[in-house]
Amino acid sequence: MSMRNVAIVGVGITRFGVREASWKDLVLEAGKSLFDDVPNLDKKDIDSLFVGAAQPERWIYQTHVAPLVAELLGIEVKRVIARTESACASGQLAIRYAWLSIATGLSDVALVVGVEKMNSKFLNISQSSMINVGNREFDGANGFTAPPFFAMVAQRHMHLYGTTEEQMAMVRVKNQEYGSQNPYAQFQKKVTVEQVLNSRMVAPPLKLFDCSAITDGAVALLLTSEERAREFTDTPVWILGGVQHVDAAHTTNQMGELADWVALRKAAKDLYDMLKITPDDIDIAEVHDCFTISEIIEYEELGFCKKGEGGKFIEEGESYIGGKVAVNPGGGLLANGHPLGATGTRQAWEIVMQFRGEVPKGRYVDGAELAIAHNLSGMAQLHHIMAYSVNKPRDIKFGR
Amino acid sequence: MKKPKRKLTLPEKIDLPPLLDLWEQQDPSGPDATGIYDFYRNLAEGELTTTKCKSCGKLMFPPQIICPNCYSDELEWVRIPEEGELYAFTELRLGAPIIVENYTPFVIAIARFGNYPENGVQISGMMFDVKYEDLKIGDKVRWEILEIEGPGEKKRYWYYFEKVE
Ligand SMILES: [Zn+2]
């Protein structure tokens, strides 16, 4: 079966943050923003809809959200409609499904909406729901939400490789520098290393500023095949390939060494092998900095530096624009906030805006041609990476 | 004259949704109850146990009813060695889930018991009456049985870690 090239041909976004707006408002805002971005789009062109949403049944007490989105945006779906769930990576999963559906010819024009409304009047409902992401019966029962888990990851990385709290703080400083130039980000103020180190302790060694936030937001993306891309835009962003990897691991016992994300290392190798590229070819890396330590480990497992040298990599400025690779030039999850289902789609939004040159000068990666987006889910067991380019792929790659 | 508005009255207090209760109910009835019920029965009797495959020898945690290595269903219950080693730990100070708020801050740890991974387990557990600052990686810990009271008359059992002095 021959596969078709697929491109992102339109984008829409809401402001991220603690929003009073409802989940439905967020979907409508992102949808409207997308329709404004693609004036040539007739909603009758859209034949498929993929909605990335992690926990709407707990945060807004609503299930069956894909047809709800179809109704809100007035779209008659004739081919494929689905909601995708992979916790913190539900958004990238929606893109992945849309890509596969268009590449195989099942869909022609697909709308992807990534959305999450996490803040509610019930104070701790977010963390109380996040406890279900790990193995609830065996780890959740011990209070194992994301902050304590990633705190232990940080402790192991410091123990094994000598990474410091200052180096972790530097990740937040970098991402806030770019976030300060991103009007959609939840946090738009620059911070210093001292401010990060002096912020309130959440779960030692992680302080408040080492953590991404509980956020509301939505992103909409329009995807289509090569045949139709030019109907909608002069600047399509091509999907080169995508990988996922999970070792047979969900519970603590199966995780082995917490500071080594072997599944990410394997996913990255798969991606590089299938695209015949090396980490040196990557101009922009949107990575999943749910915590500062995460970005440090991702430098290592994505091959930007040697294992254990992620702390040194940020300290030497190699992940800034102008360094070895521009990592999270939009501010990452740390500055933007992390509305689970919207995060993976926000990463794609950032890459499209970069390739179009539609971002402020101070965070623009001039001349970038190849970008990756890394979205992880759960307690860092499941890793998802997609590669995007301004250049059309010669052969579409699904795997080895 | 306008009709008076019809009223609906809701309960004064709505109980915490049972979904926020973190522990299994541990009271199976009927032949199709969870196949790992012995894990909870053993906890009630003071033992932290898991399953080991009689066919290939794989020790697993959590306990299972079929071996994920060779798919045999011939599993036996084995006791997890009492004493283990602290592998990683933190202390939950901010952003605690609703159900554990009553006893925060507390230490959350991962400890290795036995010869992990060949013939041992790596499990998470809570620690009480000890501070983050008083612990270090490699400290000896042992598992102890935790009795959970409520809601209502019901008693359930779990485990926690204690530092071996
Ligand atoms: Zn076996």
Side-chain angles (χ1 to χ4, degrees), chain B residues 52-58 60 66-72 74-75:
Chain B
K52 185 173 179 160
C53 179
K54 281 186 178 175
S55 165
C56 75
K58 185 178 172 62
M60 56 208 86
I66 286 167
C67 173
N69 190 42
C70 73
Y71 308 124
S72 163
E74 296 279 308
L75 307 183

Side-chain angles (χ1 to χ4, degrees), chain A residues 16-23 26 55 58-60 116-127 186-187 213-217 336-340:
Chain A
F16 280 26
V18 179
R19 299 284 309 266
E20 278 182 31
S22 73
W23 191 93
L26 295 171
Q55 292 202 23
R58 290 181 63 94
W59 292 325
I60 60 158
E116 213 75 53
K117 169 79 189 167
M118 299 174 77
N119 290 286
S120 77
K121 286 169 189 142
F122 306 103
L123 268 183
N124 275 332
I125 195 79
S126 297
Q127 288 298 352
Q186 180 168 7
F187 304 105
I214 303 290
T215 308
D216 310 325
N336 282 280
H338 181 23
L340 308 192

